Structures are given as C-alpha cells and as structure tokens.
Amino acid sequence: MEFEYARYQSGAITQLPFGGPAEPPATVTTTVPREYVHKAALAEVLLTGWHRDAQDSFTITAQWPRAHSFYRSQNGLHDPLLFAETVRQIFPLLSHAAYTVPFGHHLIWEYFRYAIAPGAAALQARLRPAEVTLYVNCHDVVQRRGKLGALSLHVEARRDGVWLGSAQTRFSSHAPAIYRRLRADYADVDTALAAAVPVPLPVSPKLVGHELRENVVLAATTSPHRWQLRVDTDHPVLFDHPVDHVPGALMLEAARQAAHVVAGPARAMAAAMDTKFTRFAELDAPCWVEAEPEQGTGRVRVAIHQEGQELFTARVSTTPLPARRPLPGPAVTHSPIHPGLHPAVQPAVPA
C-alpha cells in the first residue's frame, strides 16, 4: 500500500487501489503544547486552543475525556477537580503564550477557588468527550522590570452554551535565580525527591470516593479527622513531572478526600472549594491533614500542617451525588441474525 501511494503521488498511476488520500476535515483539533501547561504526559493536557479577545481577556477551549485515570467520573458526572485542573493549566499557558514569561520560570499559587453546578447538564459525562469553553479575564497584573510578576484570573466555563462553573485564582511568577534564593536548600529537585518521607498505607478508597488504593492521598492516624498526607512521588498524575515540593493539585485532592470522609459514607462531590496556599509543603517531613465541619454552613474546613506550620487551608462544600443517569444516545439493538449462518460468522456491524 505504501508503494502504491508513492506511485500515486509521483503520477505513475492515476488511482490508488482503495481510493486517493482522504480530504482533511474542515477543522482539526489538537492540544496545546504540553510545555505550555507544565505537563510531561500528552495524555494529561486538557487545553486545546486559545484566543485573545482583548488585552487581558481570552477564550480558551478544553476537552475532558470520558474516563480519566485519576479524575474519574462518578454517577455519570465529571469530577469537579477535573475543572480545577483545567483552570490550573490556564495560567502557565497564558503566562508563556500571552504574557511572554520565559520557560523555566516558576509559577506559585496564592489562592484558588471554584464553584460548579453539581446537577447541571454541562457536567454530565456523555458518550463523547466534553468540549468546554472557558472565558478568562485577567486583572491585578503586576509587572517587574518588564516581566510578569503576578496575575489574577477570573474564569467562567460553559459547555454547549450551558454554564458549568467559575473559578478565581492568583499566582506569582519567579525567575530561576529568584526561585533558588526563595527555596534555598530545597531548590534542587533531585535532592528533594531523594529525601522524601516513606509513603504510609492508605485509608480505604471507599472512604474518600475513589476505587484504587494508589489514588488515596490520606493515611489513618489515631484521630478520626486527622490524617497523614500520602506524598507518592511516583504517582503518574499528581507527580506528572519531578518537583521539589508537594504540588498544589495534591493539596486540593487532600482537601476533597478529607471533606468526603467528614461528609459521611454516601457518595458526594466537592461542588465548591475556597483555598489558600501560605507555605511550601516540603517532601522531607510528614504533612498532617485535619478536617472539621463548619456548623450551620454545610462546609468542611480543611487545614494542612507541617512541623507546626500551617501550609494550606480550604473550605469545601459537598453535595450528594445524584442518582446515575443513563447516557444519552440511540437505543442499543441486537444485530439481525441472517438465516443459514452460524452466529460466529454473522456479518460485522459497520464501524
């Protein structure tokens, strides 16, 4: 076939045995370069494109897979933290592509909050991947010597025109030399990873709304609402690439899992989260996660400490997962059986 195609291209034959080259579709969708969202694995890149609408306003597109290895759909609904990860990928993308931050600069989270519509049709996991459009406004932009120093984002997300959720976040940007001074002895990634504490055994996955032990980030202690943070530096999603500290996404997941335990045994989703990052969480000492319900608010307050210092706080609003809905689509019917043929040799259904 390859030989015949080469002859067709050179004009030696007028037609391929199975037809000519296929016409490309009107539009071709791809992901943004993985380097722009600080991911090593192409499979973890969620953003598919971006467009500048005004000086500090952007439209960004994303695609959510039907099934993600970590941010799993439950009861037919996408995981809200898949939305959180989508927003997290926006700020490195805009930093490099729109605000000319050089690669190698370090982006540090200050705060992050989101809210989603837990029962909205936009959150449903359907037969096809979800195409999400995010409208981003940047504000409180800080420039230092002509370089981006800090930036706040407000994000509104829609799917098929239906509101899906919103998020607000702020981060700062630091040149490598400044980051090394800020981190001192912790700046070397290899040294930090080599000093990581052993990973303790997880609590039951069912307690935290997961199916797999390796996706549990909490380890039991003698207190019912206190856990040791499981920092598995080999986790393929939470540690997609080597870093010198506990990633922010791992802290968000710890807050979600802790709130899930406090909320009770029924399956629930983290419909909203309001978080603040105050200190780096280092790899060479255990981190402790504590959670308690806020009376009269329906929220759970989560805090992460290390060596007596508070590193991270979150207020998580949970809501029960609705009953699973059937996936939309045509009814499934059996293929007709042709008389005279054994079932093993029936004609295949067209692809």
Side-chain angles (χ1 to χ4, degrees), residues 245-321:
H245 58 276
V246 177
L250 175 50
M251 295 192 184
L252 294 181
E253 181 62 26
R256 183 255 289 276
Q257 292 189 17
H260 194 284
V261 176
V262 172
R267 288 197 168 194
M269 68 160 48
M273 194 179 292
D274 189 344
T275 73
K276 184 178 181 181
F277 300 83
T278 53
R279 300 174 68 90
F280 284 95
E282 308 300 352
L283 302 176
D284 63 353
C287 294
W288 306 99
V289 183
E290 297 178 342
E292 59 179 349
E294 290 188 343
Q295 298 299 324
T297 67
R299 294 194 297 262
V300 177
R301 186 184 187 277
V302 180
I304 300 180
H305 298 84
Q306 186 176 58
E307 298 185 324
Q309 299 284 340
E310 188 173 81
L311 315 174
F312 168 87
T313 57
R315 284 179 168 83
V316 186
S317 299
T318 63
T319 185
L321 279 170

Side-chain angles (χ1 to χ4, degrees), residues 8-70:
Y8 172 81
Q9 289 288 74
S10 66
I13 59 175
T14 58
Q15 180 177 331
L16 284 173
F18 302 107
E23 286 294 325
T27 59
V28 178
T29 302
T30 186
T31 60
V32 303
R34 58 191 172 98
E35 292 82 3
Y36 278 78
V37 296
H38 296 183
K39 284 292 184 182
L42 286 171
E44 296 303 319
V45 180
L46 301 173
L47 306 185
T48 57
W50 71 284
H51 178 267
R52 184 175 232 138
D53 303 317
Q55 177 62 33
D56 295 308
S57 298
F58 306 87
T59 299
I60 296 174
T61 53
Q63 186 185 81
W64 292 353
R66 291 178 58 197
H68 191 277
S69 62
F70 184 74

Side-chain angles (χ1 to χ4, degrees), residues 177-338:
I178 295 175
Y179 185 79
R180 286 194 296 271
R181 288 200 296 270
L182 179 68
R183 297 288 289 136
D185 293 340
Y186 288 105
D188 184 76
V189 173
D190 292 336
T191 302
L193 290 173
V197 299
V199 184
L201 294 174
V203 301
S204 168
K206 298 296 184 183
L207 281 177
V208 297
H210 271 279
E211 299 290 338
L212 303 176
R213 288 166 55 90
E214 55 264 35
N215 288 339
V216 177
V217 302
L218 303 180
T221 68
T222 55
S223 300
H225 288 173
R226 187 173 189 265
W227 306 268
Q228 183 178 344
L229 184 66
R230 299 185 72 243
V231 183
D232 180 3
T233 58
D234 289 326
H235 195 282
V237 175
L238 296 173
F239 280 84
D240 163 82
H241 56 280
V243 291
D244 60 38
H245 58 276
V246 177
L250 175 50
M251 295 192 184
L252 294 181
E253 181 62 26
R256 183 255 289 276
Q257 292 189 17
H260 194 284
V261 176
V262 172
R267 288 197 168 194
M269 68 160 48
M273 194 179 292
D274 189 344
T275 73
K276 184 178 181 181
F277 300 83
T278 53
R279 300 174 68 90
F280 284 95
E282 308 300 352
L283 302 176
D284 63 353
C287 294
W288 306 99
V289 183
E290 297 178 342
E292 59 179 349
E294 290 188 343
Q295 298 299 324
T297 67
R299 294 194 297 262
V300 177
R301 186 184 187 277
V302 180
I304 300 180
H305 298 84
Q306 186 176 58
E307 298 185 324
Q309 299 284 340
E310 188 173 81
L311 315 174
F312 168 87
T313 57
R315 284 179 168 83
V316 186
S317 299
T318 63
T319 185
L321 279 170
R324 184 176 181 86
R325 303 175 184 178
L327 289 172
V332 177
T333 59
H334 293 288
S335 300
I337 299 296
H338 290 251

Side-chain angles (χ1 to χ4, degrees), residues 159-182:
R159 178 187 180 189
D160 299 330
V162 178
W163 185 80
L164 188 155
S166 63
Q168 299 81 40
T169 187
R170 184 169 180 81
F171 64 93
S172 56
S173 174
H174 303 271
I178 295 175
Y179 185 79
R180 286 194 296 271
R181 288 200 296 270
L182 179 68

